[in-house]
Amino acid sequence: MNSLNPKVTAVEAAEKQQVWEADRDHFMHPWTDFSTFKETGSMVFTGADGVSIQDADGKRYLDGIGGLWCVNIGYGRKEIAEAVAEQICAIPYFSTFGHHTTPPAAKLAAKLAELAPGDLNHVFYGCGGSVANDTAVRLIHFYFNQLGKPTKKQIISRIDGYHGSTYMAMSITGVKFDHIGFDIDEQLVHHISCPNPYRRDPGLSEEEFCRQKVQELEDKILEIGPDNVAAFFAEPIMGAGGVIVPPKGYHKATLEVCRKYDVLYVSDEVVTAFGRLGHMFASEDEFEIVPDIITCAKGLTSGYLPLGATIFSDRIYEVISKPQAEGAIFTHGFTYSGHPVSCAAALKNIEIIEREGICDHVKEVGAYFEARIRELGELDLVGDVRGRKFMICLENVANKETKELIDPQAKVGNRIADACQKRGLIVRPLAHMNILSPTLILTREDVDFVAETLKESILEVTEGLRAEGYLAR
């Protein structure tokens, strides 16, 4: 693992306690677990470099989740800091409403158009992935209104798909756990089942399963009515829903269904873009499709600053760029759309990815990472290891033959994450699963550390579950 900056040391005990209390008492965290937060509070991180992060006590950890799917080029890149500082000194901000721009916003839009597949040549900026998907919905509705098809408004997504936490993006999200206690728009959004090959009916081949899932999309369009369905939202690989890789040919076949009924295809690449699978964009290079819209964020700046983008086709632009009425304008956007400092960070981030050949590195070392983690499928607790390159999920089960889940009260994902953290590795718990999405600059030695630490941790947790009666001996 890379060494942290020696100037980054543990904070004084009093200051650490002050930060911990301020956080507990005033910072409302995303996905807060109130059953424990008020007592345990937060783990405070004070430093980061390369593939590692450091807590307030000075302990180092290999970051196995890349911040949150996003620190693709690793921590401590001074080039990003310098590009950001230079832009702040030049012009830190100006509104892009109407006919105003800044060089970073214009240059980044052109670069994204160059990198995106097909004729996806137009970019609308926001501050993250949720907003990028909300923007896609507004663009799509406006597009069909302009075409004189005002009934085409309904959205289809998938169970266990994740698209964000703003109101519309969470409505499109199909992770039912995330809806508990909240309202979503159930009139506008419809969900079809998750294309998870591991959970398919035992009598179905993967090819048959694929055809079944594709047919389900077509059936849903026909049920709602083709004149009413506007778009289908799909992640190339479903991230927060459990790293679900759909069966081979699924994306091409669902795109063909969408084309048949004039339904726009939105590829949510918030996680998969900018190198995670070894490509700048995965839609075409990994799954052989050119969607109508790609949404992205996270790896766009490697998490150094907030930025998201909705990238859409010439076909859509030609329709929505025509004045809808005398004096009317396209009234959508945000104060920080095309923020020059964030765009400068993104441009430098993309430059680093290209100059250092990070996509090629992912194809090589990411393949090694995938192979090493797949070895853990031999362990009694691990029912499935799925994903590609630096995007992997381990699904833990009570019985590998029946795929029966462990009692949720055991919190097996959390136990494994805690056991890994004790050994200097951060992994993400998700119910009975654990997710890995590390920085894209891991070495083979780093990969070995991750694999060996996970194995030790899973074996330790397995013994504990057996002792407590959650698993048969």
Side-chain angles (χ1 to χ4, degrees), residues 198-199 372-386 392-401 403-406 412 416 432-434 451 454-459 461-462 465-466 471:
Y198 178 64
R199 291 289 173 182
R372 284 299 321 266
I373 305 304
R374 285 192 183 280
E375 292 173 7
L376 302 180
E378 299 176 358
L379 301 178
D380 292 344
L381 194 64
V382 180
D384 190 31
V385 181
R386 56 179 175 262
I392 301 290
C393 174
L394 293 87
E395 180 168 349
N396 305 295
V397 296
N399 186 304
K400 296 181 74 159
E401 290 186 10
K403 303 178 185 178
E404 175 190 353
L405 295 179
I406 300 163
V412 61
I416 292 171
H432 61 288
M433 298 176 284
N434 291 99
L454 261 170
K455 182 175 182 178
E456 291 174 8
S457 300
I458 293 169
L459 289 172
V461 169
T462 301
L465 292 171
R466 284 180 176 144
L471 293 176

mmCIF file of all heavy atoms in Angstrom, residues 198-199 372-386 392-401 403-406 412 416 432-434 451 454-459 461-462 465-466 471:
data_model
loop_
_atom_site.group_PDB
_atom_site.id
_atom_site.type_symbol
_atom_site.label_atom_id
_atom_site.label_comp_id
_atom_site.label_asym_id
_atom_site.label_seq_id
_atom_site.Cartn_x
_atom_site.Cartn_y
_atom_site.Cartn_z
ATOM 1 N N TYR A 198 -27.993 -15.400 -10.655
ATOM 2 C CA TYR A 198 -27.792 -16.253 -9.482
ATOM 3 C C TYR A 198 -29.122 -16.657 -8.845
ATOM 4 O O TYR A 198 -29.253 -17.752 -8.297
ATOM 5 C CB TYR A 198 -26.923 -15.527 -8.458
ATOM 6 C CG TYR A 198 -26.677 -16.296 -7.176
ATOM 7 C CD1 TYR A 198 -25.970 -17.509 -7.189
ATOM 8 C CD2 TYR A 198 -27.144 -15.819 -5.952
ATOM 9 C CE1 TYR A 198 -25.734 -18.215 -6.019
ATOM 10 C CE2 TYR A 198 -26.915 -16.523 -4.773
ATOM 11 C CZ TYR A 198 -26.214 -17.718 -4.814
ATOM 12 O OH TYR A 198 -25.989 -18.416 -3.647
ATOM 13 N N ARG A 199 -30.108 -15.788 -8.932
ATOM 14 C CA ARG A 199 -31.400 -16.043 -8.308
ATOM 15 C C ARG A 199 -32.463 -16.509 -9.308
ATOM 16 O O ARG A 199 -33.660 -16.476 -9.012
ATOM 17 C CB ARG A 199 -31.871 -14.775 -7.591
ATOM 18 C CG ARG A 199 -31.034 -14.417 -6.360
ATOM 19 C CD ARG A 199 -31.278 -15.393 -5.247
ATOM 20 N NE ARG A 199 -30.370 -15.195 -4.096
ATOM 21 C CZ ARG A 199 -30.379 -15.959 -3.032
ATOM 22 N NH1 ARG A 199 -31.223 -16.964 -2.944
ATOM 23 N NH2 ARG A 199 -29.531 -15.737 -2.033
ATOM 24 N N ARG A 372 -8.950 -13.241 -8.064
ATOM 25 C CA ARG A 372 -8.594 -13.530 -6.664
ATOM 26 C C ARG A 372 -9.831 -13.532 -5.762
ATOM 27 O O ARG A 372 -9.968 -14.377 -4.882
ATOM 28 C CB ARG A 372 -7.596 -12.491 -6.128
ATOM 29 C CG ARG A 372 -6.167 -12.631 -6.598
ATOM 30 C CD ARG A 372 -5.488 -13.939 -6.217
ATOM 31 N NE ARG A 372 -5.790 -14.449 -4.888
ATOM 32 C CZ ARG A 372 -5.086 -14.242 -3.785
ATOM 33 N NH1 ARG A 372 -3.995 -13.493 -3.841
ATOM 34 N NH2 ARG A 372 -5.434 -14.786 -2.632
ATOM 35 N N ILE A 373 -10.741 -12.581 -5.989
ATOM 36 C CA ILE A 373 -11.935 -12.531 -5.143
ATOM 37 C C ILE A 373 -12.868 -13.695 -5.467
ATOM 38 O O ILE A 373 -13.521 -14.249 -4.573
ATOM 39 C CB ILE A 373 -12.662 -11.183 -5.298
ATOM 40 C CG1 ILE A 373 -11.715 -10.021 -5.007
ATOM 41 C CG2 ILE A 373 -13.872 -11.114 -4.357
ATOM 42 C CD1 ILE A 373 -11.056 -10.061 -3.645
ATOM 43 N N ARG A 374 -12.896 -14.117 -6.714
ATOM 44 C CA ARG A 374 -13.746 -15.266 -7.082
ATOM 45 C C ARG A 374 -13.280 -16.542 -6.375
ATOM 46 O O ARG A 374 -14.084 -17.451 -6.146
ATOM 47 C CB ARG A 374 -13.768 -15.461 -8.595
ATOM 48 C CG ARG A 374 -14.623 -14.433 -9.328
ATOM 49 C CD ARG A 374 -14.865 -14.801 -10.777
ATOM 50 N NE ARG A 374 -15.614 -13.757 -11.464
ATOM 51 C CZ ARG A 374 -16.929 -13.595 -11.394
ATOM 52 N NH1 ARG A 374 -17.650 -14.439 -10.669
ATOM 53 N NH2 ARG A 374 -17.522 -12.627 -12.052
ATOM 54 N N GLU A 375 -12.012 -16.611 -6.005
ATOM 55 C CA GLU A 375 -11.524 -17.775 -5.257
ATOM 56 C C GLU A 375 -12.259 -17.940 -3.926
ATOM 57 O O GLU A 375 -12.382 -19.051 -3.406
ATOM 58 C CB GLU A 375 -10.021 -17.626 -4.989
ATOM 59 C CG GLU A 375 -9.152 -17.719 -6.238
ATOM 60 C CD GLU A 375 -7.692 -17.395 -5.933
ATOM 61 O OE1 GLU A 375 -7.355 -17.229 -4.722
ATOM 62 O OE2 GLU A 375 -6.896 -17.300 -6.883
ATOM 63 N N LEU A 376 -12.778 -16.839 -3.396
ATOM 64 C CA LEU A 376 -13.478 -16.889 -2.109
ATOM 65 C C LEU A 376 -14.824 -17.591 -2.218
ATOM 66 O O LEU A 376 -15.435 -17.922 -1.201
ATOM 67 C CB LEU A 376 -13.666 -15.473 -1.557
ATOM 68 C CG LEU A 376 -12.379 -14.666 -1.354
ATOM 69 C CD1 LEU A 376 -12.701 -13.287 -0.805
ATOM 70 C CD2 LEU A 376 -11.412 -15.393 -0.436
ATOM 71 N N GLY A 377 -15.266 -17.840 -3.442
ATOM 72 C CA GLY A 377 -16.489 -18.598 -3.647
ATOM 73 C C GLY A 377 -16.387 -20.026 -3.140
ATOM 74 O O GLY A 377 -17.406 -20.707 -2.985
ATOM 75 N N GLU A 378 -15.175 -20.474 -2.849
ATOM 76 C CA GLU A 378 -14.989 -21.816 -2.299
ATOM 77 C C GLU A 378 -15.324 -21.879 -0.803
ATOM 78 O O GLU A 378 -15.500 -22.970 -0.249
ATOM 79 C CB GLU A 378 -13.541 -22.262 -2.522
ATOM 80 C CG GLU A 378 -13.138 -22.345 -4.002
ATOM 81 C CD GLU A 378 -11.672 -22.696 -4.180
ATOM 82 O OE1 GLU A 378 -10.978 -22.838 -3.131
ATOM 83 O OE2 GLU A 378 -11.216 -22.813 -5.325
ATOM 84 N N LEU A 379 -15.405 -20.736 -0.151
ATOM 85 C CA LEU A 379 -15.697 -20.714 1.278
ATOM 86 C C LEU A 379 -17.151 -21.078 1.544
ATOM 87 O O LEU A 379 -18.039 -20.769 0.747
ATOM 88 C CB LEU A 379 -15.394 -19.328 1.863
ATOM 89 C CG LEU A 379 -13.943 -18.838 1.703
ATOM 90 C CD1 LEU A 379 -13.797 -17.443 2.281
ATOM 91 C CD2 LEU A 379 -12.972 -19.802 2.376
ATOM 92 N N ASP A 380 -17.396 -21.724 2.689
ATOM 93 C CA ASP A 380 -18.739 -22.219 3.011
ATOM 94 C C ASP A 380 -19.784 -21.111 3.047
ATOM 95 O O ASP A 380 -20.939 -21.326 2.702
ATOM 96 C CB ASP A 380 -18.724 -22.932 4.371
ATOM 97 C CG ASP A 380 -17.935 -24.227 4.346
ATOM 98 O OD1 ASP A 380 -17.672 -24.726 3.237
ATOM 99 O OD2 ASP A 380 -17.594 -24.730 5.436
ATOM 100 N N LEU A 381 -19.380 -19.925 3.470
ATOM 101 C CA LEU A 381 -20.334 -18.838 3.663
ATOM 102 C C LEU A 381 -20.700 -18.119 2.367
ATOM 103 O O LEU A 381 -21.752 -17.493 2.269
ATOM 104 C CB LEU A 381 -19.751 -17.825 4.660
ATOM 105 C CG LEU A 381 -20.695 -16.790 5.264
ATOM 106 C CD1 LEU A 381 -21.771 -17.463 6.105
ATOM 107 C CD2 LEU A 381 -19.910 -15.789 6.106
ATOM 108 N N VAL A 382 -19.839 -18.217 1.365
ATOM 109 C CA VAL A 382 -19.995 -17.400 0.153
ATOM 110 C C VAL A 382 -20.770 -18.177 -0.914
ATOM 111 O O VAL A 382 -20.278 -19.156 -1.467
ATOM 112 C CB VAL A 382 -18.618 -16.963 -0.386
ATOM 113 C CG1 VAL A 382 -18.793 -16.108 -1.645
ATOM 114 C CG2 VAL A 382 -17.856 -16.189 0.682
ATOM 115 N N GLY A 383 -21.980 -17.702 -1.206
ATOM 116 C CA GLY A 383 -22.807 -18.373 -2.207
ATOM 117 C C GLY A 383 -22.502 -17.923 -3.610
ATOM 118 O O GLY A 383 -22.568 -18.704 -4.554
ATOM 119 N N ASP A 384 -22.177 -16.636 -3.772
ATOM 120 C CA ASP A 384 -21.943 -16.111 -5.116
ATOM 121 C C ASP A 384 -20.910 -14.998 -5.051
ATOM 122 O O ASP A 384 -20.906 -14.183 -4.124
ATOM 123 C CB ASP A 384 -23.250 -15.566 -5.701
ATOM 124 C CG ASP A 384 -23.160 -15.230 -7.181
ATOM 125 O OD1 ASP A 384 -22.375 -15.902 -7.894
ATOM 126 O OD2 ASP A 384 -23.857 -14.301 -7.643
ATOM 127 N N VAL A 385 -20.015 -14.986 -6.032
ATOM 128 C CA VAL A 385 -19.099 -13.865 -6.235
ATOM 129 C C VAL A 385 -19.362 -13.364 -7.638
ATOM 130 O O VAL A 385 -19.215 -14.108 -8.605
ATOM 131 C CB VAL A 385 -17.620 -14.281 -6.092
ATOM 132 C CG1 VAL A 385 -16.722 -13.072 -6.291
ATOM 133 C CG2 VAL A 385 -17.365 -14.921 -4.737
ATOM 134 N N ARG A 386 -19.773 -12.126 -7.763
ATOM 135 C CA ARG A 386 -20.171 -11.620 -9.082
ATOM 136 C C ARG A 386 -19.640 -10.206 -9.302
ATOM 137 O O ARG A 386 -19.258 -9.510 -8.364
ATOM 138 C CB ARG A 386 -21.686 -11.643 -9.225
ATOM 139 C CG ARG A 386 -22.430 -10.882 -8.143
ATOM 140 C CD ARG A 386 -23.935 -10.935 -8.371
ATOM 141 N NE ARG A 386 -24.662 -10.315 -7.292
ATOM 142 C CZ ARG A 386 -25.226 -10.961 -6.273
ATOM 143 N NH1 ARG A 386 -25.145 -12.280 -6.199
ATOM 144 N NH2 ARG A 386 -25.868 -10.300 -5.329
ATOM 145 N N ILE A 392 -17.119 -5.708 -7.530
ATOM 146 C CA ILE A 392 -17.385 -7.094 -7.151
ATOM 147 C C ILE A 392 -18.281 -7.144 -5.909
ATOM 148 O O ILE A 392 -18.174 -6.316 -5.009
ATOM 149 C CB ILE A 392 -16.069 -7.850 -6.843
ATOM 150 C CG1 ILE A 392 -15.138 -7.853 -8.071
ATOM 151 C CG2 ILE A 392 -16.346 -9.276 -6.381
ATOM 152 C CD1 ILE A 392 -15.611 -8.714 -9.223
ATOM 153 N N CYS A 393 -19.152 -8.148 -5.870
ATOM 154 C CA CYS A 393 -20.008 -8.391 -4.710
ATOM 155 C C CYS A 393 -19.868 -9.843 -4.263
ATOM 156 O O CYS A 393 -19.814 -10.752 -5.100
ATOM 157 C CB CYS A 393 -21.468 -8.099 -5.048
ATOM 158 S SG CYS A 393 -22.643 -8.519 -3.738
ATOM 159 N N LEU A 394 -19.805 -10.048 -2.956
ATOM 160 C CA LEU A 394 -19.880 -11.387 -2.372
ATOM 161 C C LEU A 394 -21.236 -11.522 -1.699
ATOM 162 O O LEU A 394 -21.580 -10.716 -0.826
ATOM 163 C CB LEU A 394 -18.778 -11.607 -1.342
ATOM 164 C CG LEU A 394 -17.329 -11.650 -1.855
ATOM 165 C CD1 LEU A 394 -16.741 -10.245 -1.914
ATOM 166 C CD2 LEU A 394 -16.471 -12.520 -0.963
ATOM 167 N N GLU A 395 -22.005 -12.519 -2.089
ATOM 168 C CA GLU A 395 -23.290 -12.780 -1.456
ATOM 169 C C GLU A 395 -23.133 -13.960 -0.513
ATOM 170 O O GLU A 395 -22.784 -15.067 -0.925
ATOM 171 C CB GLU A 395 -24.372 -13.068 -2.497
ATOM 172 C CG GLU A 395 -25.730 -13.343 -1.855
ATOM 173 C CD GLU A 395 -26.892 -13.338 -2.843
ATOM 174 O OE1 GLU A 395 -26.711 -12.920 -4.002
ATOM 175 O OE2 GLU A 395 -27.986 -13.777 -2.438
ATOM 176 N N ASN A 396 -23.399 -13.709 0.754
ATOM 177 C CA ASN A 396 -23.216 -14.723 1.794
ATOM 178 C C ASN A 396 -24.535 -15.426 2.074
ATOM 179 O O ASN A 396 -25.586 -14.780 2.175
ATOM 180 C CB ASN A 396 -22.683 -14.056 3.056
ATOM 181 C CG ASN A 396 -21.410 -13.272 2.795
ATOM 182 O OD1 ASN A 396 -20.385 -13.839 2.461
ATOM 183 N ND2 ASN A 396 -21.476 -11.951 2.935
ATOM 184 N N VAL A 397 -24.482 -16.738 2.202
ATOM 185 C CA VAL A 397 -25.697 -17.538 2.367
ATOM 186 C C VAL A 397 -25.511 -18.567 3.474
ATOM 187 O O VAL A 397 -24.391 -18.922 3.846
ATOM 188 C CB VAL A 397 -26.079 -18.265 1.049
ATOM 189 C CG1 VAL A 397 -26.418 -17.269 -0.050
ATOM 190 C CG2 VAL A 397 -24.960 -19.198 0.601
ATOM 191 N N ALA A 398 -26.644 -19.068 3.966
ATOM 192 C CA ALA A 398 -26.612 -20.106 4.989
ATOM 193 C C ALA A 398 -26.385 -21.482 4.386
ATOM 194 O O ALA A 398 -25.778 -22.362 5.013
ATOM 195 C CB ALA A 398 -27.915 -20.095 5.784
ATOM 196 N N ASN A 399 -26.864 -21.651 3.143
ATOM 197 C CA ASN A 399 -26.768 -22.941 2.475
ATOM 198 C C ASN A 399 -26.453 -22.699 0.998
ATOM 199 O O ASN A 399 -27.255 -22.086 0.285
ATOM 200 C CB ASN A 399 -28.081 -23.712 2.624
ATOM 201 C CG ASN A 399 -27.995 -25.125 2.084
ATOM 202 O OD1 ASN A 399 -27.652 -25.350 0.929
ATOM 203 N ND2 ASN A 399 -28.320 -26.097 2.924
ATOM 204 N N LYS A 400 -25.310 -23.176 0.552
ATOM 205 C CA LYS A 400 -24.892 -22.900 -0.824
ATOM 206 C C LYS A 400 -25.748 -23.625 -1.854
ATOM 207 O O LYS A 400 -25.932 -23.143 -2.973
ATOM 208 C CB LYS A 400 -23.416 -23.261 -1.001
ATOM 209 C CG LYS A 400 -22.497 -22.412 -0.139
ATOM 210 C CD LYS A 400 -21.034 -22.751 -0.336
ATOM 211 C CE LYS A 400 -20.506 -22.220 -1.657
ATOM 212 N NZ LYS A 400 -19.034 -22.085 -1.659
ATOM 213 N N GLU A 401 -26.278 -24.786 -1.480
ATOM 214 C CA GLU A 401 -27.089 -25.549 -2.437
ATOM 215 C C GLU A 401 -28.472 -24.924 -2.624
ATOM 216 O O GLU A 401 -28.951 -24.781 -3.742
ATOM 217 C CB GLU A 401 -27.215 -27.002 -1.972
ATOM 218 C CG GLU A 401 -25.915 -27.790 -2.070
ATOM 219 C CD GLU A 401 -26.113 -29.262 -1.743
ATOM 220 O OE1 GLU A 401 -27.280 -29.716 -1.632
ATOM 221 O OE2 GLU A 401 -25.097 -29.971 -1.598
ATOM 222 N N LYS A 403 -29.279 -21.842 -1.533
ATOM 223 C CA LYS A 403 -29.110 -20.385 -1.573
ATOM 224 C C LYS A 403 -29.926 -19.679 -0.489
ATOM 225 O O LYS A 403 -30.252 -18.489 -0.595
ATOM 226 C CB LYS A 403 -29.470 -19.826 -2.963
ATOM 227 C CG LYS A 403 -28.672 -20.452 -4.089
ATOM 228 C CD LYS A 403 -29.086 -19.923 -5.451
ATOM 229 C CE LYS A 403 -28.340 -20.657 -6.565
ATOM 230 N NZ LYS A 403 -28.738 -20.201 -7.911
ATOM 231 N N GLU A 404 -30.259 -20.422 0.558
ATOM 232 C CA GLU A 404 -31.010 -19.848 1.682
ATOM 233 C C GLU A 404 -30.175 -18.776 2.360
ATOM 234 O O GLU A 404 -28.974 -18.934 2.572
ATOM 235 C CB GLU A 404 -31.349 -20.950 2.685
ATOM 236 C CG GLU A 404 -32.031 -20.461 3.944
ATOM 237 C CD GLU A 404 -32.127 -21.543 5.010
ATOM 238 O OE1 GLU A 404 -31.770 -22.714 4.712
ATOM 239 O OE2 GLU A 404 -32.540 -21.215 6.139
ATOM 240 N N LEU A 405 -30.830 -17.672 2.715
ATOM 241 C CA LEU A 405 -30.131 -16.567 3.353
ATOM 242 C C LEU A 405 -29.976 -16.790 4.848
ATOM 243 O O LEU A 405 -30.741 -17.532 5.473
ATOM 244 C CB LEU A 405 -30.883 -15.257 3.104
ATOM 245 C CG LEU A 405 -30.955 -14.785 1.645
ATOM 246 C CD1 LEU A 405 -31.739 -13.494 1.547
ATOM 247 C CD2 LEU A 405 -29.566 -14.607 1.053
ATOM 248 N N ILE A 406 -28.993 -16.142 5.421
ATOM 249 C CA ILE A 406 -28.772 -16.164 6.855
ATOM 250 C C ILE A 406 -29.778 -15.227 7.516
ATOM 251 O O ILE A 406 -30.170 -14.208 6.943
ATOM 252 C CB ILE A 406 -27.327 -15.719 7.161
ATOM 253 C CG1 ILE A 406 -26.339 -16.668 6.472
ATOM 254 C CG2 ILE A 406 -27.052 -15.655 8.655
ATOM 255 C CD1 ILE A 406 -24.947 -16.114 6.360
ATOM 256 N N VAL A 412 -24.687 -10.352 8.820
ATOM 257 C CA VAL A 412 -23.447 -10.979 8.367
ATOM 258 C C VAL A 412 -22.576 -10.011 7.564
ATOM 259 O O VAL A 412 -21.341 -10.014 7.700
ATOM 260 C CB VAL A 412 -23.750 -12.266 7.559
ATOM 261 C CG1 VAL A 412 -24.584 -11.973 6.320
ATOM 262 C CG2 VAL A 412 -22.459 -12.965 7.154
ATOM 263 N N ILE A 416 -18.638 -9.077 8.615
ATOM 264 C CA ILE A 416 -17.467 -9.232 7.744
ATOM 265 C C ILE A 416 -16.760 -7.899 7.561
ATOM 266 O O ILE A 416 -15.524 -7.817 7.608
ATOM 267 C CB ILE A 416 -17.887 -9.846 6.395
ATOM 268 C CG1 ILE A 416 -18.337 -11.305 6.602
ATOM 269 C CG2 ILE A 416 -16.748 -9.770 5.390
ATOM 270 C CD1 ILE A 416 -18.965 -11.938 5.379
ATOM 271 N N HIS A 432 -26.855 -8.939 3.613
ATOM 272 C CA HIS A 432 -26.086 -10.189 3.675
ATOM 273 C C HIS A 432 -24.927 -10.210 2.685
ATOM 274 O O HIS A 432 -24.298 -11.249 2.493
ATOM 275 C CB HIS A 432 -27.020 -11.372 3.384
ATOM 276 C CG HIS A 432 -27.646 -11.313 2.023
ATOM 277 N ND1 HIS A 432 -28.630 -10.413 1.684
ATOM 278 C CD2 HIS A 432 -27.416 -12.042 0.902
ATOM 279 C CE1 HIS A 432 -28.985 -10.593 0.428
ATOM 280 N NE2 HIS A 432 -28.265 -11.567 -0.071
ATOM 281 N N MET A 433 -24.640 -9.068 2.068
ATOM 282 C CA MET A 433 -23.609 -8.998 1.035
ATOM 283 C C MET A 433 -22.471 -8.076 1.462
ATOM 284 O O MET A 433 -22.601 -7.283 2.375
ATOM 285 C CB MET A 433 -24.224 -8.488 -0.276
ATOM 286 C CG MET A 433 -25.308 -9.394 -0.839
ATOM 287 S SD MET A 433 -26.101 -8.714 -2.327
ATOM 288 C CE MET A 433 -27.176 -7.465 -1.623
ATOM 289 N N ASN A 434 -21.355 -8.186 0.749
ATOM 290 C CA ASN A 434 -20.241 -7.247 0.883
ATOM 291 C C ASN A 434 -19.794 -6.821 -0.505
ATOM 292 O O ASN A 434 -19.655 -7.658 -1.404
ATOM 293 C CB ASN A 434 -19.078 -7.873 1.641
ATOM 294 C CG ASN A 434 -19.406 -8.096 3.102
ATOM 295 O OD1 ASN A 434 -19.758 -9.209 3.496
ATOM 296 N ND2 ASN A 434 -19.332 -7.055 3.916
ATOM 297 N N ALA A 451 -7.684 -9.820 -0.914
ATOM 298 C CA ALA A 451 -8.195 -11.188 -0.987
ATOM 299 C C ALA A 451 -7.895 -11.970 0.291
ATOM 300 O O ALA A 451 -8.769 -12.663 0.830
ATOM 301 C CB ALA A 451 -7.602 -11.901 -2.203
ATOM 302 N N LEU A 454 -9.939 -10.546 3.300
ATOM 303 C CA LEU A 454 -11.335 -10.978 3.199
ATOM 304 C C LEU A 454 -11.482 -12.438 3.609
ATOM 305 O O LEU A 454 -12.412 -12.795 4.339
ATOM 306 C CB LEU A 454 -11.839 -10.780 1.764
ATOM 307 C CG LEU A 454 -12.654 -9.529 1.484
ATOM 308 C CD1 LEU A 454 -12.860 -9.372 -0.012
ATOM 309 C CD2 LEU A 454 -13.996 -9.562 2.199
ATOM 310 N N LYS A 455 -10.567 -13.275 3.146
ATOM 311 C CA LYS A 455 -10.659 -14.691 3.479
ATOM 312 C C LYS A 455 -10.560 -14.908 4.988
ATOM 313 O O LYS A 455 -11.381 -15.622 5.578
ATOM 314 C CB LYS A 455 -9.560 -15.473 2.759
ATOM 315 C CG LYS A 455 -9.623 -16.980 3.010
ATOM 316 C CD LYS A 455 -8.579 -17.725 2.186
ATOM 317 C CE LYS A 455 -8.694 -19.231 2.414
ATOM 318 N NZ LYS A 455 -7.705 -19.982 1.581
ATOM 319 N N GLU A 456 -9.566 -14.282 5.618
ATOM 320 C CA GLU A 456 -9.414 -14.420 7.067
ATOM 321 C C GLU A 456 -10.658 -13.930 7.792
ATOM 322 O O GLU A 456 -11.122 -14.544 8.764
ATOM 323 C CB GLU A 456 -8.201 -13.611 7.533
ATOM 324 C CG GLU A 456 -6.860 -14.158 7.074
ATOM 325 C CD GLU A 456 -5.716 -13.227 7.444
ATOM 326 O OE1 GLU A 456 -5.974 -12.241 8.185
ATOM 327 O OE2 GLU A 456 -4.577 -13.463 6.994
ATOM 328 N N SER A 457 -11.205 -12.819 7.328
ATOM 329 C CA SER A 457 -12.366 -12.220 7.980
ATOM 330 C C SER A 457 -13.602 -13.091 7.831
ATOM 331 O O SER A 457 -14.368 -13.289 8.787
ATOM 332 C CB SER A 457 -12.621 -10.827 7.408
ATOM 333 O OG SER A 457 -11.500 -9.982 7.607
ATOM 334 N N ILE A 458 -13.808 -13.636 6.645
ATOM 335 C CA ILE A 458 -14.976 -14.487 6.405
ATOM 336 C C ILE A 458 -14.886 -15.766 7.225
ATOM 337 O O ILE A 458 -15.871 -16.236 7.800
ATOM 338 C CB ILE A 458 -15.119 -14.793 4.900
ATOM 339 C CG1 ILE A 458 -15.473 -13.511 4.132
ATOM 340 C CG2 ILE A 458 -16.192 -15.857 4.654
ATOM 341 C CD1 ILE A 458 -15.391 -13.641 2.621
ATOM 342 N N LEU A 459 -13.683 -16.343 7.311
ATOM 343 C CA LEU A 459 -13.514 -17.550 8.125
ATOM 344 C C LEU A 459 -13.796 -17.266 9.595
ATOM 345 O O LEU A 459 -14.444 -18.059 10.288
ATOM 346 C CB LEU A 459 -12.102 -18.100 7.941
ATOM 347 C CG LEU A 459 -11.794 -18.734 6.578
ATOM 348 C CD1 LEU A 459 -10.313 -19.066 6.476
ATOM 349 C CD2 LEU A 459 -12.646 -19.980 6.349
ATOM 350 N N VAL A 461 -15.761 -14.886 10.809
ATOM 351 C CA VAL A 461 -17.205 -14.651 10.955
ATOM 352 C C VAL A 461 -17.978 -15.961 10.861
ATOM 353 O O VAL A 461 -18.948 -16.183 11.602
ATOM 354 C CB VAL A 461 -17.692 -13.636 9.909
ATOM 355 C CG1 VAL A 461 -19.220 -13.582 9.863
ATOM 356 C CG2 VAL A 461 -17.122 -12.252 10.205
ATOM 357 N N THR A 462 -17.552 -16.844 9.971
ATOM 358 C CA THR A 462 -18.220 -18.139 9.820
ATOM 359 C C THR A 462 -18.212 -18.906 11.129
ATOM 360 O O THR A 462 -19.233 -19.470 11.550
ATOM 361 C CB THR A 462 -17.544 -18.968 8.714
ATOM 362 O OG1 THR A 462 -17.590 -18.250 7.480
ATOM 363 C CG2 THR A 462 -18.250 -20.306 8.529
ATOM 364 N N LEU A 465 -20.693 -17.339 13.549
ATOM 365 C CA LEU A 465 -22.081 -17.645 13.203
ATOM 366 C C LEU A 465 -22.443 -19.075 13.589
ATOM 367 O O LEU A 465 -23.567 -19.340 14.041
ATOM 368 C CB LEU A 465 -22.304 -17.421 11.703
ATOM 369 C CG LEU A 465 -22.228 -15.969 11.217
ATOM 370 C CD1 LEU A 465 -22.239 -15.923 9.700
ATOM 371 C CD2 LEU A 465 -23.375 -15.134 11.782
ATOM 372 N N ARG A 466 -21.505 -19.987 13.430
ATOM 373 C CA ARG A 466 -21.745 -21.377 13.819
ATOM 374 C C ARG A 466 -21.893 -21.491 15.343
ATOM 375 O O ARG A 466 -22.782 -22.175 15.849
ATOM 376 C CB ARG A 466 -20.611 -22.267 13.328
ATOM 377 C CG ARG A 466 -20.685 -22.567 11.830
ATOM 378 C CD ARG A 466 -19.557 -23.444 11.368
ATOM 379 N NE ARG A 466 -19.716 -23.795 9.965
ATOM 380 C CZ ARG A 466 -18.707 -23.930 9.111
ATOM 381 N NH1 ARG A 466 -17.469 -23.759 9.525
ATOM 382 N NH2 ARG A 466 -18.937 -24.254 7.859
ATOM 383 N N LEU A 471 -25.534 -20.851 11.686
ATOM 384 C CA LEU A 471 -25.109 -21.787 10.642
ATOM 385 C C LEU A 471 -24.995 -23.175 11.239
ATOM 386 O O LEU A 471 -24.625 -23.339 12.423
ATOM 387 C CB LEU A 471 -23.756 -21.384 10.067
ATOM 388 C CG LEU A 471 -23.648 -20.101 9.263
ATOM 389 C CD1 LEU A 471 -22.198 -19.857 8.872
ATOM 390 C CD2 LEU A 471 -24.534 -20.166 8.009
#
